[in-house]
Amino acid sequence: AGVIAVLQRFLQNLHQMLIDNKNAKTPDEVIEKYFALVMNYLEPLEEAYRDRSIFPIREDGSIFMSLGAYRDHLLGETLRQAFKTAAYPDKLFVGAVVQNCFGIDVQCRTGVEVKGKDKHGHPITEISDRGPDVNGIEQFCTDPDFAKYCERGQIRALYVNETESNGPTTARYFASKLWGGETYFLQADAHLRFAKEWDRLYAEEVQLAKKYPKAVLSAYPPGFSEEDPPYHGGSQGTRLCTCVFSDSNVEHRILRINTGNMCRGEEEAPSQIAYIAAGFFFARAEFLIDVPFDPYLPWCFMGEEIALSLRAWTHGWDIYAPRKNLIAHQYRPGRMGLPKFWENTGRVFGRPGPGFNTLLQTITIQRIKHMVGYPSSTREALEGLNYQIVLTEFEHYGPGETRTMTEFLEHTNIDVQNEKCGHIGWCNDCTLP
C-alpha cells in the first residue's frame, strides 16, 4: 500500500504538470519537468531499496505476473484464462497497471479505425468519440468464479488515467513496483491465452536452464485471434537470435530484435538465446534487484528489448528460449483500430497525431542509444545537443559489472559503429547450453 501511495502521488503531480504544460513550445521543457517529478517523487523510493528487494523473496514457488494494460479490452479475459489454466492458482499474483480512459475529464476516443476505401482503393480512416473503457479488473473480480482471488489480495492494481500514460516502459516500471515477494517474476502483455498448467511448466523449464537461478526464459509467443478455439500450447518456442538497425526515422535507427533458427526439438533442456522479449519473460525475482526497471524512459516505445537484454546479460543473467510455447499473444496490427498511447500524447499537448510523441521519444531514446554505445549518443554528443538530461541516474539503470559491454557486443555479434548485426552462430545452432 505504501508503494502504491508513492506512485499515486507521482501520478497526481504528473496530471497537473501535463495540464500546466499543454502548450509547451518544445519537447525539451516537457522532459525536463517530467524528470524533475521522477527525482522528487520516485527517486527516494528507488534510493531506499537500491540493490535489495522491498520484500523478502518467498521460496514457495509463487509467481508474480506483471501486466501493463493500455485501454485493453482483453485484460479481464486474460486474468480469467491465467487463473483458470494455472496448476497452482493460489500461488499466482498479478500486478496490473490499468491505463484507461475513464471519461472523467476528457472525451474518450477510438484509435485510427478503417471505415472503408476511397475510389483509388486507399483506406478511409477516422477517430471517433466512444464511451469509457471497460475495467478488466472489475470484470475479473466480480466474476463469481474468480472473485476469491481478489478477496485474498492476489490482484494488485494501479489505475492510471489515459492522459498520464506515456508508453510501455513507464507502465512496466509501475507494474514491477507491485511485486510483493513472490518467487518468480513474469512480465507479459495484457492480451494473452494460456496452456494448461503453464505456471508449473514454466517454473520447471527455467530450473532446467544451466545458469539457473540466474536464467531468464523469453520468446515471442505465437499469435491468436479472439475467435480461435481454446489455446493448448506445445509449439516450439521462438529463438531470439537476430537483430537489425531500424531504418525508420521515427525509430531513430534503434536496434530491433527478431527470431532466428529453431532447434531440432529433441533437447533435454533449454539452450541460450541472445535477447529478451519485453512482451514475455520469466525469471526468479532476484532479476528485479539486479535489473531494476528504469523510471527515466517516458514516451519511449522502441529500444526496451535491447536495453533489457544488455542489462540482464552484463549483470550475469543468461537468456534461454523455452522449448515449448505455453502462452499465446494477440498481435495487434493498425487495422484493428485500437487506441495507441502516442495518439493520447498528441491530444494531451494539443497536437493531434503521433508527431509530438515522436519528438519526445527523440530525446528519451538517447538514453538507450547511449547505453548500447552509438557514436552519435556519447556523453559529449548528448551535451552538444543539450540532451544530457537523459543521463540522469544512468549509472543505476545501465550495464552491469559482471560482464562488460564489449563482451555483450561480441556475444551478440553487433557492430554498433557500422550499425550492423552479424550472424550469431551459437544462437541459431542451439549450441550454447
Side-chain angles (χ1 to χ4, degrees):
V3 172
I4 290 181
V6 170
L7 301 181
Q8 288 173 334
R9 281 196 295 272
F10 170 77
L11 289 167
Q12 290 165 1
N13 283 273
L14 174 60
H15 179 81
Q16 189 60 50
M17 185 276 277
L18 294 174
I19 291 174
D20 294 343
N21 291 273
K22 180 179 178 65
N23 298 312
K25 294 181 180 179
T26 67
D28 307 60
E29 56 190 288
V30 175
I31 296 292
E32 181 177 345
K33 290 175 180 177
Y34 185 92
F35 276 41
L37 287 178
V38 174
M39 287 293 291
N40 208 10
Y41 293 98
L42 300 181
E43 192 55 40
L45 176 65
E46 295 294 292
E47 182 62 32
Y49 293 100
R50 187 149 285 141
D51 299 323
R52 64 191 182 99
S53 61
I54 296 177
F55 303 98
I57 298 174
R58 304 194 301 274
E59 294 298 339
D60 59 358
S62 53
I63 295 174
F64 174 81
M65 182 161 62
S66 164
L67 298 176
Y70 181 75
R71 304 188 63 185
D72 205 312
H73 67 288
L74 289 183
L75 172 59
E77 184 58 25
T78 293
L79 294 174
R80 290 190 190 102
Q81 291 286 327
F83 280 86
K84 181 179 180 180
T85 56
Y88 307 111
D90 292 343
K91 295 183 178 181
L92 177 60
F93 296 78
V94 174
V97 177
V98 184
Q99 305 161 96
N100 272 6
C101 179
F102 300 101
I104 298 172
D105 53 358
V106 296
Q107 171 61 55
C108 300
R109 305 276 280 167
T110 66
V112 179
E113 298 178 305
V114 177
K115 296 294 187 179
K117 293 185 177 180
D118 63 18
K119 62 182 181 180
H120 302 293
H122 301 139
I124 299 172
T125 61
E126 182 179 290
I127 296 178
S128 310
D129 291 348
R130 60 172 283 180
D133 296 323
V134 64
N135 185 336
I137 301 296
E138 183 179 21
Q139 284 182 322
F140 179 78
C141 291
T142 57
D143 188 322
D145 292 332
F146 301 100
K148 61 183 178 182
Y149 300 113
C150 303
E151 293 165 1
R152 295 171 184 169
Q154 290 177 242
I155 306 297
R156 307 165 192 147
L158 177 70
Y159 288 96
V160 179
N161 282 309
E162 179 198 20
T163 49
E164 281 79 72
S165 302
N166 60 40
T169 47
T170 301
R172 300 197 211 279
Y173 167 80
F174 289 149
S176 74
K177 296 305 179 188
L178 304 180
W179 172 81
E182 290 76 28
T183 312
Y184 297 104
F185 178 84
L186 163 63
Q187 179 169 287
D189 291 326
H191 28 275
L192 302 173
R193 288 188 176 174
F194 300 80
K196 188 176 180 180
E197 299 195 356
W198 62 272
D199 54 334
R200 176 182 66 82
L201 295 170
Y202 274 138
E204 291 177 356
E205 184 77 349
V206 76
Q207 290 173 32
L208 289 173
K210 183 177 180 180
K211 192 67 180 296
Y212 182 83
K214 299 196 76 166
V216 182
L217 294 179
S218 192
Y220 286 153
F224 76 88
S225 298
E226 290 179 53
E227 63 273 12
D228 287 350
Y231 178 66
H232 296 293
S235 59
Q236 271 192 275
T238 55
R239 298 181 58 78
L240 305 177
C241 294
T242 63
C243 71
V244 65
F245 284 80
S246 172
D247 58 4
S248 164
N249 290 332
V250 173
E251 297 175 3
H252 309 285
R253 300 201 61 78
I254 196 65
L255 266 165
R256 302 195 65 172
I257 70 173
N258 213 324
T259 56
N261 296 342
M262 304 296 283
C263 298
R264 293 181 179 180
E266 304 167 352
E267 294 74 25
E268 296 182 355
S271 58
Q272 287 192 51
I273 54 174
Y275 306 114
I276 295 176
F280 166 69
F281 74 86
F282 185 97
R284 281 191 58 95
E286 287 86 354
F287 186 91
L288 295 173
I289 302 172
D290 290 349
V291 193
F293 282 80
D294 189 347
Y296 295 96
L297 285 171
W299 297 291
C300 196
F301 185 67
M302 308 306 304
E304 63 173 327
E305 294 182 323
I306 187 60
L308 266 176
S309 306
L310 183 160
R311 293 180 64 207
W313 195 85
T314 57
H315 277 91
W317 292 75
D318 284 347
I319 310 163
Y320 295 82
R323 290 169 296 167
K324 300 294 183 184
N325 289 309
L326 301 170
I327 65 172
H329 176 278
Q330 186 189 61
Y331 293 94
R332 297 176 158 182
R335 63 177 179 272
M336 291 183 70
L338 298 175
K340 302 292 191 294
F341 84 89
W342 50 80
E343 297 163 351
N344 162 69
T345 303
R347 290 191 289 270
V348 166
F349 290 102
R351 300 161 172 86
F356 197 66
N357 194 92
T358 299
L359 294 176
L360 291 164
Q361 180 176 250
T362 298
I363 299 173
T364 57
I365 203 170
Q366 298 299 329
R367 186 173 177 90
I368 296 175
K369 296 180 75 171
H370 176 78
M371 184 190 310
V372 177
Y374 282 68
S376 59
S377 300
T378 62
R379 179 175 292 274
E380 293 74 18
L382 294 177
E383 289 173 352
L385 294 168
N386 202 29
Y387 286 170
Q388 61 268 24
I389 192 171
V390 302
L391 301 182
T392 302
E393 299 292 323
F394 177 79
E395 65 273 19
H396 302 303
Y397 307 100
E401 297 180 353
T402 304
R403 295 182 282 209
T404 68
M405 184 64 204
T406 299
E407 288 173 322
F408 175 78
L409 296 176
E410 291 174 351
H411 179 67
T412 53
N413 203 11
I414 294 172
D415 179 354
V416 181
Q417 297 291 323
N418 296 300
E419 297 189 355
K420 292 181 179 179
C421 293
H423 178 76
I424 309 174
W426 60 263
C427 189
N428 284 282
D429 298 336
C430 308
T431 56
L432 193 58

